[in-house]
Amino acid sequence: MAKILAVDDSASMRQMVSFTLKGAGHDVLEASDGAEALKIAQGQAVDLVLSDVNMPNMNGIELCKNLRQLSSYKFTPILMLTTESAGDKKMEGKSAGATGWIVKPFNPDQLLSTIKKVLG
C-alpha cells in the first residue's frame, strides 16, 4: 500500500484521516502544518500528500507550491482536504499544483476511492 503524508493543524482531523487510511492498509505520516510537512517530505519520499489548506506557519497552498519545486515531488499526487469550497480557492490550489480537492467533512469511502484513483 501507499505511504501517505497527512497534514492538518487539527489533531482530531489528523486522527480521523490516519484511522481511515491505516484501516485501508496505508502507511501514514502526520504533520501539523505545511512547514513540518515540507521537512518530512524533504527527508523521505511519500506516495501521496493529503493536506488541509488553512494552517498556521505554512498553509496548504504554499506547501503545494514548495513541494512542486522539489524534483522528487513534481508528479506526486497532492490532495487538498479542506472546509474551503469556493471556486477561487480551488483554482488557487490547482495553480499551485494540487491534484484534487476534497471538501470536509469527508466520507471515508469517498476519500479512499479518490486516493485509489489518483495513485492509479
Side-chain angles (χ1 to χ4, degrees):
M1 289 313 242
K3 185 189 288 188
I4 298 173
L5 176 57
V7 191
D8 201 303
D9 58 328
S10 162
S12 60
M13 183 54 71
R14 282 196 316 273
Q15 193 175 29
M16 286 189 335
V17 168
S18 184
F19 178 80
T20 300
L21 298 176
K22 286 179 179 173
H26 297 292
D27 288 331
V28 181
L29 301 170
E30 296 182 23
S32 60
D33 61 41
E36 184 182 356
L38 187 59
K39 280 185 190 167
I40 291 172
Q42 288 170 328
Q44 59 185 302
V46 301
D47 301 306
L48 182 142
V49 178
L50 183 64
S51 178
D52 187 14
V53 170
N54 298 314
M55 299 180 288
N57 302 319
M58 181 189 293
N59 70 36
I61 302 289
E62 291 168 347
L63 171 64
C64 197
K65 287 178 185 171
N66 280 288
L67 287 174
R68 289 301 185 215
Q69 291 176 3
L70 302 174
S71 60
S72 55
Y73 282 88
K74 275 198 181 331
F75 304 107
T76 302
I78 301 174
L79 294 175
M80 308 312 287
L81 179 62
T82 178
T83 55
E84 293 281 353
S85 60
D88 59 336
K89 226 17 168 182
K90 288 182 182 177
M91 285 307 295
E92 191 181 343
K94 190 173 182 180
S95 296
T99 309
W101 196 276
I102 301 170
V103 177
K104 293 176 187 172
F106 70 93
N107 171 317
D109 291 336
Q110 181 195 14
L111 177 65
L112 293 173
S113 166
T114 303
I115 286 173
K116 186 176 179 183
K117 188 175 165 185
V118 297
L119 286 174

